[in-house]
């Protein structure tokens, strides 16, 4: 045999590839990786990162082949994917642009590397921030936004695109597509049921994802069959368990009955079997739900905790705090009987959460944090939401899925985000404790890695301190202008 061929044959059997040292940008060494899909732990893993992406997740033996200029010692730490808050708001008018921008580092400092902005009245700013964050020019989570939401004429919500016919609907969708929105938000304050369904169907035809508040006069089956991708807020889901879902909803629309009294009748006629069938149908259509428990619970129980002394208020600007007044004043009008009713409605409605999970619906973890929604705080609010998801019946694994892979899948980015796997963006949160044993472990953040950039605890604390300083300056400025 030719001596060169002999050499090549022998060389092919030698383990050059496994012994060679490979240079990467970052090593997260000896972490316990949490597989959020299977709910299993992978101990003693090293995460190799190059160009902002996970190159490999190696066991102790395989890890020896990698070297990096930056190494994070993750021994005793638990690695989860970056968290996603799937329902936030930026708004309050142009005077509050700076206060809203201050919220971005609050998310990142709490391990939240992506947020879904579900509309407000600052869409031009939000779209700008989306681009700046993606380019690394602005610190904060990746932003997915609906832009302004679609509504009817004279909506109570600020910043909407108001429509009254199909021509205006098409113009609105053209505008949103021109802005390259990530999904379309549709709400029901003054939008007719007919235009609501037309909006869902047309957005679906255009390949746009949709999320919505559901008109009372439409059943969940009707909106799901039309192609609605996500129902926002869990209280919309409860009425599907009653045979009076449609008839009472139509009476609310015509003013014959108010929603409180209708809910009492829905509750009296609630059939768990009927509800399960409805939720399975939603799952079959691919309609997800974002419960936003935390925001609803805060307002429901304002009679027990007014939150005026919350330490977290030091991170919320005075203008944003002022927007909380609307819901607080509405809740204060309830007498003792009405307070008891809202407690019952909240607890009973939240009780269907495990039914929706069992039926196969995709549950998205979102807070509803931002302007208007009283004491529902950007950042810490998602950890509170995860706690409530578990409190009302989900397992810690299911709650983590709701805040990671479910959001990535919903927005069509599961190939990049949502789990810790080779090839995906290196958004990693290191925790001091196991979140599969206790969901409150997500609050015990040691390090946040965003697109391969490491933020240790000192960096995260510095982000919080900077926001606190900015808010203090804003509060001082506001005080100086008071009469």
């Amino acid at each position: 045999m030719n001596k060169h061929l002999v050499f090549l044959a022998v060389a092919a059997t030698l383990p050059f590839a496994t012994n060679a040292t490979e240079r990467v940008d970052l090593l997260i060494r000896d972490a316990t990786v949490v597989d959020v899909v299977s709910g299993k732990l992978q101990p003693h893993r090293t995460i190799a990162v190059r160009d902002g992406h996970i190159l490999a997740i190696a066991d102790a033996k395989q890890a020896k082949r990698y070297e990096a200029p930056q190494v994070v010692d993750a021994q005793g730490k638990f690695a989860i994917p970056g968290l996603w808050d799937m329902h936030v708001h930026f708004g309050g008018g142009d005077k509050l642009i700076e206060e809203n921008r201050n919220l971005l580092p609050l998310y990142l400092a709490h391990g939240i590397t992506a947020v879904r902005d579900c509309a407000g009245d600052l869409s031009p700013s939000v779209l700008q921030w989306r681009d700046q964050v993606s380019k690394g020019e602005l610190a904060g989570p990746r932003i997915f936004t609906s832009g302004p939401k679609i509504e009817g004429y004279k909506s109570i919500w600020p910043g909407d695109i108001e429509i009254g016919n199909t021509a205006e609907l098409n113009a609105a969708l053209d505008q949103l597509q021109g802005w390259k929105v990530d999904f379309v938000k549709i709400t029901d304050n003054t939008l007719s049921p007919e235009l609501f369904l037309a909006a869902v169907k047309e957005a679906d035809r255009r390949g746009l994802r949709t999320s919505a508040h559901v008109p009372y006069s439409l059943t969940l089956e009707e909106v799901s069959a039309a192609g609605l991708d996500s129902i926002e807020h869990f209280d919309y889901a409860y009425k599907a368990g009653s045979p009076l879902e449609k008839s009472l909803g139509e009476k609310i629309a015509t003013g014959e009955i108010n929603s409180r009294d209708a809910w009492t009748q829905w509750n009296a006629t609630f059939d768990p079997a009927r509800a399960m069938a409805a939720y399975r149908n939603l799952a079959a259509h691919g309609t997800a739900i974002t419960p936003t428990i935390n925001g609803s619970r805060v307002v429901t129980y304002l009679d027990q905790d007014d939150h005026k002394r919350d330490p977290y208020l030091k991170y919320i600007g005075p203008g944003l705090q002022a927007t909380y007044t609307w819901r607080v004043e509405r809740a204060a009008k309830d007498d003792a009987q009405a307070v008891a009713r809202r407690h019952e409605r909240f607890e009973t409605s939240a009780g269907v959460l495990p039914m929706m999970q069992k039926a196969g619906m995709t549950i998205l973890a979102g807070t509803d944090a931002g302007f208007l929604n009283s004491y529902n705080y950007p950042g810490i609010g998602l950890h509170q939401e995860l706690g409530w998801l578990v409190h009302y019946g989900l397992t810690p694994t299911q709650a983590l899925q709701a805040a990671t892979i479910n959001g990535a899948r919903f927005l069509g980015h599961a190939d990049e985000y949502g789990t810790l796997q080779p090839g995906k963006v290196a958004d990693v949160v290191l925790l001091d404790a196991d979140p599969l044993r206790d969901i409150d472990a997500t609050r015990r953040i040691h390090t946040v890695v965003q697109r391969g950039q490491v933020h240790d605890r000192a960096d995260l604390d510095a982000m919080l301190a900077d926001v606190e300083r900015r808010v203090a300056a804003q509060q001082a400025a506001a005080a100086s202008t008071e009469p």
Side-chain angles (χ1 to χ4, degrees):
M1 179 181 290
N2 184 290
K3 63 179 181 179
H4 297 293
L5 293 178
V6 171
F7 172 79
L8 291 172
V10 172
T13 67
L14 297 177
F16 287 129
T18 57
N19 290 337
T21 299
E22 188 165 357
R23 187 82 168 174
V24 296
D25 300 323
L26 168 67
L27 289 176
I28 303 171
R29 194 178 294 282
D30 200 21
T32 296
V33 172
V34 178
D35 184 338
V36 296
V37 174
S38 68
K40 296 180 179 179
L41 301 177
Q42 302 170 350
H44 305 298
R45 294 296 194 271
T46 292
I47 303 172
V49 177
R50 180 188 288 160
D51 296 330
H53 288 72
I54 297 173
L55 178 68
I57 298 180
D59 61 24
K61 182 178 180 180
Q62 295 166 338
K64 294 177 181 178
R65 68 176 293 181
Y66 298 105
E67 63 177 28
Q70 187 173 19
V71 178
V72 175
D73 181 4
Q75 185 177 16
K77 309 303 178 186
F78 294 80
I80 63 171
L83 298 169
W84 289 44
D85 189 332
M86 289 293 287
H87 193 123
V88 309
H89 293 284
F90 299 101
D94 289 346
K95 292 182 180 179
L96 300 187
I97 289 175
E98 187 63 29
E99 290 191 22
N100 277 269
R101 185 163 44 220
N102 286 345
L103 304 179
L104 297 176
L106 293 181
Y107 288 111
L108 192 56
H110 286 86
I112 299 163
T113 55
V115 296
R116 183 175 64 129
D117 165 53
C118 292
D121 58 352
L122 295 179
S123 291
S125 294
V126 175
L127 289 163
Q128 181 182 22
W129 299 339
R130 180 183 68 173
D131 294 341
Q132 290 175 323
V133 169
S134 68
K135 295 175 183 176
E137 299 171 356
L138 181 65
R142 178 168 180 177
I143 298 172
F144 298 90
T145 181
S146 66
K149 62 181 180 290
I150 293 176
E151 255 291 358
Y153 297 150
K154 298 181 179 180
S155 164
I156 64 169
W157 305 115
D160 296 338
I161 301 176
E162 297 184 354
I163 65 170
N165 52 58
T166 55
E168 291 174 344
L169 166 61
N170 285 317
L173 291 173
D174 288 344
Q175 178 180 334
L176 294 173
Q177 284 189 292
W179 286 346
K180 295 183 169 66
V181 299
D182 301 289
F183 67 105
V184 173
K185 176 81 176 287
I186 311 165
T187 54
D188 63 331
N189 179 235
T190 59
L191 188 67
S192 71
E194 294 77 18
L195 267 181
F196 180 96
L197 289 176
V200 172
K201 291 176 181 177
E202 178 59 19
D204 186 62
R205 189 190 70 79
R206 295 180 183 219
L208 296 166
R209 290 174 177 82
T210 52
S211 75
H213 297 182
V214 179
Y216 280 118
S217 58
L218 297 175
T219 67
L220 296 194
E221 159 60 22
E222 287 174 310
V223 299
S224 184
L228 181 63
D229 293 304
S230 176
I231 297 167
E232 304 304 312
H233 315 302
F234 68 92
D235 53 338
Y236 286 104
Y238 188 75
K239 65 188 181 75
S242 169
L244 304 179
E245 177 187 14
K246 182 73 172 179
S247 60
L248 289 177
E250 290 175 337
K251 287 183 178 180
I252 294 173
T254 59
E256 296 177 60
I257 191 173
N258 62 43
S259 61
R260 287 183 177 181
D261 291 341
W263 188 88
T264 299
Q265 294 188 51
W266 283 327
N267 187 38
T269 56
F270 183 85
D271 177 3
R274 184 185 184 92
M276 279 299 295
Y279 302 151
R280 289 192 181 102
N281 184 62
L282 292 174
H285 284 305
T287 302
I289 189 163
T290 315
T292 65
I293 296 173
N294 192 59
S296 297
R297 198 179 194 284
V298 167
V299 175
T300 297
Y301 287 97
L302 280 172
D303 58 297
Q304 297 180 8
D305 185 354
D306 64 14
H307 294 274
K308 292 181 180 178
R309 289 167 295 279
D310 283 355
Y312 207 87
L313 285 169
K314 64 187 176 183
Y315 302 125
I316 309 299
L320 285 172
Q321 288 191 40
T323 70
Y324 293 172
T325 303
W326 176 54
R327 293 192 190 277
V328 172
E329 290 181 345
R330 286 203 311 173
K333 294 177 181 178
D334 286 345
D335 59 19
Q337 186 178 17
V339 168
R341 281 201 306 266
R342 80 181 188 220
H343 288 185
E344 179 191 15
R345 178 172 179 171
F346 174 85
E347 296 295 338
T348 304
S349 297
V352 303
L353 183 65
M355 296 176 65
M356 292 187 287
Q357 176 75 38
K358 185 177 180 180
M361 289 186 67
T362 295
I363 294 175
L364 305 172
T367 58
D368 210 11
F371 80 118
L372 291 179
N373 296 322
S374 311
Y375 310 110
N376 188 12
Y377 302 122
I380 192 64
L382 183 65
H383 300 277
Q384 294 167 333
E385 183 75 16
L386 293 176
W388 293 124
L389 288 176
V390 172
H391 176 84
Y392 287 105
L394 268 59
T395 66
T397 297
Q398 291 166 345
L400 276 179
Q401 290 168 347
T404 53
I405 186 60
N406 289 3
R409 285 172 176 165
F410 177 85
L411 287 168
H413 291 278
D415 59 331
E416 300 175 276
Y417 302 97
T419 59
L420 300 181
Q421 290 178 281
K424 293 198 174 184
V425 173
D427 286 353
V428 186
V429 179
L430 296 179
L431 306 174
D432 289 328
D434 180 4
L436 300 185
R437 292 176 62 89
D438 181 359
I439 196 62
D440 283 347
T442 63
R443 302 170 186 243
R444 298 178 59 184
I445 296 173
H446 178 271
T447 300
V448 175
V449 179
Q450 184 188 35
R451 294 191 297 273
Q453 181 178 357
V454 177
H455 301 284
D456 62 15
R457 188 64 256 171
D459 287 342
L460 302 177
D461 289 340
M463 290 180 195
L464 295 172
D466 183 58
V467 174
E468 184 178 357
R469 283 192 297 270
R470 290 172 182 268
V471 168
Q474 290 162 352
Q475 289 172 331
S480 68
T481 61
E482 292 178 355

